[in-house]
Amino acid sequence: MAKKQFKAESKRLLDLMINSIYTHKEIFLREIISNASDACDKLCYKALTDDSVGMSRKDFKIEIKVDREGRTLTVSDNGIGMDREDLENNLGIIASSGSFQFKQEVGDDAKDTDVIGQFGVGFYSAFMVADHITVVTRKYGAETAYMWQSAGADGYTITECERPTVGTDIVMHLKPDTEDERYSEFLESWRLQELVRKYSDYIRFPIRMEVSKTRRKEGSPDDKPEYETYTEEETLNSMVPIWQRRKSSVKPEEYNKFYRDKFHDYTDPQKVIAVSAEGAVTYKALLFIPGAAPFDYYTKEYEKGLQLYSNGVLIMDKCADLLPEHFRFVRGVVDSPDLSLNISRELLQHDRQLKVIAANLEKKIKSELAKMLKDDREGYEKFWKNFGRQLKYGVAAEYGAHKELLSDLLLFYSSTEKKPVTLAEYVSRMKEDQKYIYYAAGESLDKIDKLPQTEGLRESGTEILYFTEEVDEFCAQILHSFQDKEFRSVLDQEIAEGDEKKAQEAMGAHKAAFDFVKETLGDKVKEVRASARLKSHPVCLTAGEGLSFEMEKYFQAVQPDSPIRAERILELNVDHPAFQALESAVTADPEKAKKYARLLYAQALLIAGLPLEDPSGYTDLVCELMK
């Protein structure tokens, strides 16, 4: 029979598809198996209204056969099959799909029939690995079978042939290996098993294949055992996704095993979130909050995303668009029959359905975390230890676009409770006349606890939130307030409410000493003033408006030569003996007074965790004053 030509546009599409559309050649097996599943689904659907079919769902199957010597890989099904007209329409015109037409014809009656392929190009992905494809098929109700053959864009032939039963065989003759490509891998049993489990594990019909195994020969001696190889047909896919089962029918250990196996984690998930949604978009999701942060979680190498399925067929291994950045720690799967897939199932349109699913999942994750915080505080604190920083990043990101969503999930260490607390808990304990949510930032809880600036508030019993991570202050600045209470740093500015007048009086009484210290230190400090909050300590350093010392340290760590620098305000305790010694020396021994001023400034830098400008000079100064 004369060879028929593809239409010109089909030739161009075939060339584009083979060379550009699919990212990985291994995808071809997923496409061929999905087509076989569609064929089984169509006949299974027909059997519901046609008793003469004589088959039920359990009778359908897909088989994979390998001929290493002949370099052929065959995928067979006992589905609906095709006649000559179907072959012309489905395989003669690229991007024409019998599955799509079937779904259009049956409409709502087929909502339980999971037809996968709807765009008619998946079959041609086989040409990425095969230089020749033969299709032998017989349609249900027909006596004649047909053979379709093609070597690619040069055209195809259709001839009558023999096939004893209804169904379709796709015989792919693999290309010879090259230096760059090893097509023989698709003749390896282990590789085919791997691909089936990766992409087609949840196809609803059994995918069977002869698998080579080894066993000990019967009667072989114990000291020199002999072994023989044999083949056994195995079902490669599990067929029923765990997320399609009712949550009440799944044991916790089954969820745990699925998570560990699927995501290669050694620890059980801390929380399982099962979602089943119907409406504008129908989907099922099975989400997991890991029990521990992956070792690379806070690195650039970590990739977020959920596995995306359409009717049980893997579309994307990590669909980042399904998770907002602040919930990037969540792992899991989403399966929807409603996704709009374009020319290839690898290229997912960023359409309304995907955005709806993502928005719904964000709300669900938030509600589950809020529930854990309320009902399982110990569990939530464990989660916070693993991923709390990510929620803080979420607040600080995108100019605070998500702060309303995340603010009530935040935890910070409390100076009075000696444990992490929520912002709502802090506000509920505020004194009646307290205006601000006070916080102090530093390298560790212990160092913050010893800061001179916190002493007055701690003595009065005022609660302070301790910020020990770089993102904390950015978080507070973005939030600005919580329940109408503004955040106020105890380190950045004068915060002792009601004591400002006392400080101003002290400045006037000791004006000569403060002027002397400012003149001695010059532009090292913006201002020298009396402190209203220091009790037992002689000195502290606070930042001016804007940048804090912790932020300065952050920018210096990112860019060591950064010119960004917080303003330095030196606060002195006029009731401390050190200040009194300095003040006495201002008139009695001005040179010694200068040394005292430099010493107090260096001590303030050390307390604030800032580097000394001249460490060697500082030690010489201490030694000199010890004489």
Side-chain angles (χ1 to χ4, degrees), residues 105-146:
E105 289 172 356
V106 298
D108 291 339
D109 292 336
K111 54 188 173 186
D112 293 327
T113 302
D114 292 338
V115 177
I116 301 164
Q118 295 183 36
F119 288 86
V121 298
F123 167 80
Y124 293 92
S125 64
F127 280 111
M128 291 190 295
V129 300
D131 51 23
H132 187 274
I133 297 176
T134 300
V135 178
V136 177
T137 183
R138 177 179 162 190
K139 190 169 185 175
Y140 170 74
E143 296 296 325
T144 306
Y146 292 91

Side-chain angles (χ1 to χ4, degrees), residues 16 37 78 124 188 230 252 258 307 337 363 447 459-460 489 492 523 570 611 619:
L16 173 67
S37 175
N78 58 345
Y124 293 92
E188 301 289 346
Y230 69 102
F258 173 82
Q307 288 193 336
K363 292 176 185 175
K447 287 186 177 181
E459 282 186 2
S460 69
S489 170
D492 289 353
D523 59 6
L570 188 68
T619 57

Side-chain angles (χ1 to χ4, degrees), residues 26-279:
E26 65 186 35
I27 294 294
F28 85 94
L29 189 61
R30 178 191 72 182
E31 300 296 304
I32 297 300
I33 289 175
S34 295
N35 289 343
S37 175
D38 288 348
C40 292
D41 252 319
K42 291 171 189 174
L43 189 54
C44 185
Y45 175 76
K46 191 173 187 65
L48 297 176
T49 56
D50 186 349
D51 293 337
S52 63
V53 174
M55 299 174 73
S56 62
R57 177 166 288 278
K58 63 181 176 59
D59 298 317
F60 292 95
K61 63 179 179 178
I62 300 167
E63 293 183 302
I64 299 176
K65 295 177 182 177
V66 174
D67 178 356
R68 287 190 180 84
E69 291 185 7
R71 290 187 67 78
T72 62
L73 174 65
T74 302
V75 176
S76 303
D77 66 72
N78 58 345
I80 193 115
M82 291 178 280
D83 57 19
R84 181 189 292 274
E85 185 180 359
D86 294 329
L87 288 170
E88 291 278 9
N89 291 335
N90 297 340
L91 303 188
I93 303 173
I94 299 175
S96 173
S97 169
S99 295
F100 179 74
Q101 184 180 354
F102 169 78
K103 198 156 189 175
Q104 294 291 100
E105 289 172 356
V106 298
D108 291 339
D109 292 336
K111 54 188 173 186
D112 293 327
T113 302
D114 292 338
V115 177
I116 301 164
Q118 295 183 36
F119 288 86
V121 298
F123 167 80
Y124 293 92
S125 64
F127 280 111
M128 291 190 295
V129 300
D131 51 23
H132 187 274
I133 297 176
T134 300
V135 178
V136 177
T137 183
R138 177 179 162 190
K139 190 169 185 175
Y140 170 74
E143 296 296 325
T144 306
Y146 292 91
M147 179 184 295
W148 180 97
Q149 295 187 82
S150 176
D154 65 336
Y156 63 93
T157 61
I158 299 177
T159 56
E160 292 187 8
C161 67
E162 295 293 326
R163 194 182 196 277
T165 59
V166 168
T168 302
D169 305 316
I170 310 292
V171 184
M172 294 159 278
H173 185 274
L174 299 192
K175 297 175 182 178
D177 293 342
T178 66
E179 287 185 8
D180 299 325
E181 299 287 352
R182 185 176 177 275
Y183 298 100
S184 298
E185 69 173 300
F186 302 116
L187 297 172
E188 301 289 346
S189 173
W190 65 269
R191 180 65 168 133
L192 296 173
Q193 292 177 69
E194 179 183 70
L195 293 179
V196 168
R197 290 179 184 131
K198 179 177 181 180
Y199 292 108
S200 308
D201 197 35
Y202 305 118
I203 290 290
R204 297 199 302 177
F205 304 101
I207 303 170
R208 302 186 64 79
M209 185 175 72
E210 292 282 345
V211 177
S212 295
K213 296 187 173 183
T214 303
R215 64 187 172 197
R216 184 174 173 177
K217 279 187 179 180
E218 231 180 288
S220 63
D222 292 338
D223 56 338
K224 290 184 179 180
E226 297 178 13
Y227 297 91
E228 60 183 0
T229 301
Y230 69 102
T231 59
E232 183 176 275
E233 190 176 58
E234 279 191 0
T235 298
L236 307 183
N237 58 322
S238 60
M239 290 182 279
V240 181
I242 193 171
W243 59 83
Q244 293 287 1
R245 295 162 57 186
R246 290 180 181 274
K247 188 173 182 179
S248 59
S249 70
V250 184
K251 298 177 181 178
E253 52 267 31
E254 290 181 279
Y255 279 134
N256 292 344
K257 184 179 186 306
F258 173 82
Y259 168 79
R260 292 195 307 268
D261 293 345
K262 191 74 170 174
F263 301 104
H264 311 293
D265 200 342
Y266 296 106
T267 59
D268 289 338
Q270 184 178 352
K271 189 169 186 61
V272 179
I273 305 172
V275 183
S276 180
E278 293 183 0

Side-chain angles (χ1 to χ4, degrees), residues 234-485:
E234 279 191 0
T235 298
L236 307 183
N237 58 322
S238 60
M239 290 182 279
V240 181
I242 193 171
W243 59 83
Q244 293 287 1
R245 295 162 57 186
R246 290 180 181 274
K247 188 173 182 179
S248 59
S249 70
V250 184
K251 298 177 181 178
E253 52 267 31
E254 290 181 279
Y255 279 134
N256 292 344
K257 184 179 186 306
F258 173 82
Y259 168 79
R260 292 195 307 268
D261 293 345
K262 191 74 170 174
F263 301 104
H264 311 293
D265 200 342
Y266 296 106
T267 59
D268 289 338
Q270 184 178 352
K271 189 169 186 61
V272 179
I273 305 172
V275 183
S276 180
E278 293 183 0
V281 181
T282 298
Y283 65 93
K284 290 184 184 293
L286 187 57
L287 310 179
F288 301 92
I289 295 177
F295 71 93
D296 62 343
Y297 181 72
Y298 288 108
T299 69
K300 292 180 180 179
E301 284 68 37
Y302 182 84
E303 291 182 68
K304 72 168 183 176
L306 302 176
Q307 288 193 336
L308 182 62
Y309 289 79
S310 178
N311 289 320
V313 176
L314 181 65
I315 305 303
M316 294 179 70
D317 187 47
K318 289 182 179 176
C319 183
D321 292 334
L322 284 171
L323 280 179
E325 192 66 19
H326 42 273
F327 291 151
R328 72 199 297 261
F329 50 83
V330 175
R331 289 174 162 175
V333 300
V334 174
D335 191 350
S336 173
D338 292 345
L339 295 173
S340 296
L341 308 176
N342 57 19
I343 195 169
S344 152
R345 280 186 278 271
E346 277 195 304
L347 303 176
L348 184 68
Q349 292 176 344
H350 292 242
D351 58 8
R352 185 184 63 82
Q353 290 99 328
L354 199 65
K355 291 177 181 177
V356 169
I357 294 173
N360 290 345
L361 292 180
E362 181 183 40
K363 292 176 185 175
K364 182 65 175 177
I365 295 166
K366 160 65 190 291
S367 69
E368 290 293 328
L369 289 175
K371 184 179 178 182
M372 191 197 305
L373 175 59
K374 179 183 176 183
D375 300 337
D376 179 15
R377 185 55 172 258
E378 184 178 347
Y380 189 83
E381 289 185 13
K382 176 188 174 185
F383 155 77
W384 184 261
K385 186 176 180 181
N386 290 328
F387 302 111
R389 191 191 310 172
Q390 188 63 52
L391 299 191
K392 295 176 189 176
Y393 286 146
V395 170
E398 299 179 47
Y399 304 100
H402 311 288
K403 66 180 182 179
E404 298 300 327
L405 177 81
L406 302 173
S407 60
D408 56 346
L409 296 177
L410 301 177
L411 293 183
F412 297 101
Y413 184 86
S414 163
S415 63
T416 57
E417 304 304 303
K418 304 300 181 184
K419 64 180 182 181
V421 301
T422 67
L423 295 176
E425 289 166 346
Y426 179 99
V427 171
S428 71
R429 291 189 291 267
M430 286 176 63
K431 298 176 180 179
E432 191 173 335
D433 59 344
Q434 186 177 331
K435 297 179 182 178
Y436 305 108
I437 298 173
Y438 294 119
Y439 69 87
E443 294 176 11
S444 67
L445 298 178
D446 185 57
K447 287 186 177 181
I448 296 174
D449 219 32
K450 295 175 181 176
L451 285 173
Q453 295 96 321
T454 66
E455 190 175 29
L457 286 174
R458 285 191 287 108
E459 282 186 2
S460 69
T462 301
E463 187 172 3
I464 306 170
L465 299 179
Y466 286 6
F467 288 1
T468 56
E469 294 187 309
E470 294 162 349
V471 69
D472 289 345
E473 282 195 286
F474 291 102
C475 199
Q477 287 195 355
I478 290 292
L479 288 173
H480 181 67
S481 64
F482 183 83
Q483 294 183 4
D484 298 324
K485 299 292 184 180

